[in-house]
Amino acid sequence: MEEKNYRFEIDPSGARMPTDFSWQFGFGADHAHQMLRTDMFEHLKLVHDELGAKYVRLHGIFNDDMYCYSTFRDFAPMPGNQHRVREMNFRQAGIAYDNVLKAGLEPFVELSMMPDHLARGKGRGLHYPNNINPPKDYALYGEFIETFIRFLLRRYGEEKVKNWYFEVWNEPDLGMFFHGKQKDYFRLYETASKAIKKVCPSLRVGGPSTSGCRWITPFLEFCRQSGSPVDFVSTHHYPGDGFGNLISFSDYPRIFKTMRQSIKEGARLDEALSRMFFHEEKAARVPKGALVSLDEKLLSESKGLPTIVSEWNSMAIFAAPIHDEKYSAALVLKSVLDLNNRFAGYMFWCVSDIFEEMLQLNRPFHGGYGLVSNDGIPKPNFWAFKMLSKLYPERLLSVGYRSTAPVECAAFTNGRDYQVLVLAQDNDPRHNEEFEVSFAVPFQAKDVTLERIDDQHANPKGVWKSLGAMDNPLPSEVSEIKEKSALRKEKWGFAYDGSKTEVRLRLRTNDAYLFTLLGV
């Protein structure tokens, strides 16, 4: 394949901006019941210790598997009014939050879903017990929220809890998460937000936590008209938001054909899911830097309120192979490098492949959304965030900012030394081009090191395959995969001509190379 050449001249005297670390605000981590698992605790601690995460956001703190609202009928279903013998108790929620705190993180409290006894229906949207209905009695729901807030204040104290964020619900614009209309969510938000402030005015509450940056303007207008408190705006987005997940009748023949082929070939469950819902040609149609326009529109609608993207990822499709590959790492880097210090938080979804929204897939590297595999092995997107955590505090804008070129370059400085991140991000998973790149910095380096994510480096899926792609790796095999796929520094050659330090390299599509140049 024909090589392409790129050269970057880095000018330290030009414009600068602070390096954007809003992604360190936090991450998502599936539903609250998972916080009772020791392995999930270890994964949370890893992203705190290694990536510097501050908050973690959980679905379903009020799911029935958390036993927040119980009645006598749950224990002995009989005719009569046994449901009037009731209990509101948040012990399990407290244990989940205790574990979050022990891992070094703070809760980003998502008020979801609806306990069955409070809901106007029995509808579920996911694999685990998430009742997605609005309340049948808003006064009782308000009492429930007040009781929850008092529980948190007693357990953790106001000084601690006032640093948390309270987000009302998750993606109420999607039927799989909310069985109601926009007006139902707005009433839910009004009830919850006013209940929170009634108990403790210093707590922060916000929403609408929608998908695709939807409902922002009508939500804020509703809050203004109803007097509902709102301290921050939250929403979600993904590149090509929802592509592949919206299934119509026209898709069924292809799905059934894929299923028959998977049966014939003896495909694994994750392989069959990938064939059905992950389509490379759809990913290829997403423009490079796709999140920028969504980000700018969102910020313009947020009316100056602190704005948090409380969920994003490289793709909205579960069991997509790219989640385990350098493709996701490159898109993470691209998306964060396009930020401009205007978000209060930019929370990647999610921490771990221990994940039960659709189904818990047990095989390693099954295309889950996580930063680490279900065995706790850091994936390429984890190493992308590790790269970002190492960046110097100032970014030089003479190269690369919001570029759409096949190869991008971003430069950073601590006032003495320099870092240069070279990235060949591409949304088309079918591309595999090779590029020849050079860059020059007008200073004298004494040492240049490289950390890279490519097919041979920081690629745990590749190591796993080389060891036989076992279904259930032994602890010794997990350790071997971690060891062989860790992000490492290596010495890199350079030239100094008396005025500039020059570095040359070759990389392929969706490779990411971070160079550190130390001055004399």
Side-chain angles (χ1 to χ4, degrees), residues 185-462:
Y185 172 72
F186 286 174
R187 187 180 179 190
L188 176 78
Y189 180 87
E190 179 182 13
T191 304
S193 62
K194 289 181 177 179
I196 290 169
K197 293 291 189 176
K198 178 182 175 182
V199 176
C200 187
S202 66
L203 301 188
R204 293 178 286 203
V205 61
S209 191
T210 43
S211 72
C213 303
R214 299 185 181 99
W215 296 7
I216 306 302
T217 295
F219 168 72
L220 292 178
E221 179 60 20
F222 170 82
C223 290
R224 185 187 69 79
Q225 291 181 359
S226 65
S228 301
V230 56
D231 299 303
F232 63 92
V233 170
S234 69
T235 189
H236 309 157
H237 59 38
Y238 292 74
D241 219 326
F243 71 85
N245 287 336
L246 302 178
I247 301 171
S248 66
F249 285 113
S250 63
D251 292 309
Y252 285 124
R254 174 185 52 79
I255 290 174
F256 290 138
K257 181 179 178 181
T258 302
M259 176 62 75
R260 287 193 296 269
Q261 187 67 23
S262 296
I263 293 170
K264 180 179 178 181
E265 297 178 5
R268 302 296 300 255
L269 180 56
D270 56 306
E271 294 169 339
L273 290 170
S274 176
R275 291 174 182 180
M276 288 181 189
F277 302 114
F278 171 62
H279 303 289
E280 294 177 329
E281 69 279 4
K282 290 187 178 182
R285 293 200 294 267
V286 177
K288 189 167 185 175
L291 298 185
V292 169
S293 59
L294 284 169
D295 286 342
E296 292 303 313
K297 182 176 184 294
L298 167 60
L299 290 164
S300 71
E301 293 186 42
S302 295
K303 306 301 182 185
L305 285 169
T307 304
I308 298 168
V309 174
S310 55
E311 192 174 310
W312 68 282
N313 198 305
S314 56
M315 189 173 288
I317 298 171
F318 183 63
I322 58 94
H323 288 305
D324 301 328
E325 298 167 359
K326 65 179 183 178
Y327 180 103
S328 181
L331 208 149
V332 162
L333 291 167
K334 170 62 177 169
S335 299
V336 172
L337 291 175
D338 281 345
L339 297 176
N340 58 1
N341 295 289
R342 295 179 65 193
F343 285 105
Y346 211 70
M347 305 177 75
F348 186 85
W349 181 264
C350 57
V351 168
S352 174
D353 282 348
I354 298 172
F355 182 85
E356 291 184 333
E357 278 193 4
M358 276 63 76
L359 180 68
Q360 175 67 68
L361 294 180
N362 290 313
R363 197 171 186 233
F365 306 108
H366 55 253
Y369 295 120
L371 294 172
V372 300
S373 76
N374 43 21
D375 291 298
I377 300 168
K379 292 157 57 173
N381 48 22
F382 177 97
W383 295 121
F385 282 116
K386 185 65 176 179
M387 277 187 177
L388 290 167
S389 75
K390 295 182 176 189
L391 295 179
Y392 289 153
E394 284 192 295
R395 182 171 180 180
L396 308 178
L397 297 180
S398 58
V399 292
Y401 182 60
R402 290 188 173 175
S403 169
T404 57
V407 176
E408 302 173 61
C409 178
F412 305 84
T413 185
N414 59 6
R416 168 184 168 85
D417 308 312
Y418 294 90
Q419 290 172 321
V420 178
L421 199 161
V422 182
L423 179 66
Q425 192 269 325
D426 193 314
N427 287 334
D428 191 339
R430 300 167 297 186
H431 286 173
N432 188 24
E433 299 181 75
E434 186 175 41
F435 305 95
E436 186 171 326
V437 181
S438 65
F439 64 83
V441 186
F443 94 127
Q444 183 177 358
K446 67 177 180 181
D447 185 63
V448 175
T449 56
L450 167 65
E451 295 162 278
R452 50 180 157 172
I453 302 170
D454 58 22
D455 291 330
Q456 288 76 44
H457 303 84
N459 180 12
K461 182 177 178 180

Side-chain angles (χ1 to χ4, degrees), residues 31-37 59-60 65-67 92 96 356:
H31 67 122
H33 192 262
Q34 302 279 39
M35 298 309 108
L36 309 181
R37 294 178 55 153
H59 291 335
D65 58 8
M66 299 299 286
Y67 304 105
Q92 303 305 314
E356 291 184 333

Side-chain angles (χ1 to χ4, degrees), residues 13-197:
S13 66
R16 302 182 179 192
M17 74 175 185
T19 302
D20 195 309
F21 291 101
S22 59
W23 62 269
Q24 284 184 318
F25 179 86
F27 296 92
D30 198 31
H31 67 122
H33 192 262
Q34 302 279 39
M35 298 309 108
L36 309 181
R37 294 178 55 153
T38 56
D39 50 358
M40 178 60 86
F41 170 82
E42 292 168 357
H43 300 178
L44 289 180
K45 193 171 189 312
L46 182 69
V47 299
H48 170 267
D49 295 351
E50 292 293 325
L51 303 182
K54 301 178 182 67
Y55 291 90
V56 66
R57 173 177 175 266
L58 315 171
H59 291 335
I61 197 68
F62 300 146
N63 283 357
D64 276 356
D65 58 8
M66 299 299 286
Y67 304 105
C68 295
Y69 192 105
S70 304
T71 74
F72 189 87
R73 184 172 290 173
D74 295 316
F75 299 93
M78 300 183 299
N81 294 322
Q82 289 84 7
H83 64 280
R84 293 185 181 179
V85 179
R86 66 174 194 174
E87 176 182 272
M88 294 184 194
N89 194 304
F90 300 96
R91 174 183 290 271
Q92 303 305 314
I95 294 170
Y97 288 149
D98 288 351
N99 287 336
V100 165
L101 293 164
K102 287 174 185 176
L105 295 149
E106 302 280 341
F108 185 92
V109 180
E110 178 195 298
L111 300 174
S112 70
M113 295 292 170
M114 192 64 60
D116 273 357
H117 291 297
L118 297 182
R120 73 180 184 191
K122 299 295 184 183
R124 298 279 195 268
L126 300 174
H127 176 68
Y128 54 76
N130 69 320
N131 191 307
I132 59 176
N133 286 278
K136 59 188 174 186
D137 182 333
Y138 281 86
L140 182 56
Y141 177 67
E143 178 190 342
F144 177 77
I145 295 297
E146 288 180 29
T147 305
F148 176 60
I149 298 302
R150 291 191 183 97
F151 165 82
L152 296 178
L153 293 173
R154 183 173 185 272
R155 191 177 186 93
Y156 304 109
E158 183 178 345
E159 286 303 305
K160 168 68 76 174
V161 178
K162 73 180 183 181
N163 293 319
W164 300 358
Y165 292 77
F166 290 82
E167 180 187 47
V168 180
W169 213 258
N170 174 71
E171 297 186 351
D173 60 306
L174 297 182
M176 67 188 297
F177 287 110
F178 190 63
H179 191 211
K181 300 182 183 301
Q182 185 185 84
K183 65 179 182 180
D184 297 312
Y185 172 72
F186 286 174
R187 187 180 179 190
L188 176 78
Y189 180 87
E190 179 182 13
T191 304
S193 62
K194 289 181 177 179
I196 290 169
K197 293 291 189 176

Side-chain angles (χ1 to χ4, degrees), residues 494-515:
F494 63 95
Y496 178 67
D497 65 2
S499 62
K500 295 179 179 180
T501 295
E502 181 169 310
V503 174
R504 296 181 178 274
L505 62 138
R506 290 175 183 265
L507 77 169
R508 304 195 74 89
T509 300
N510 285 320
D511 289 351
Y513 284 20
L514 176 62
F515 294 91

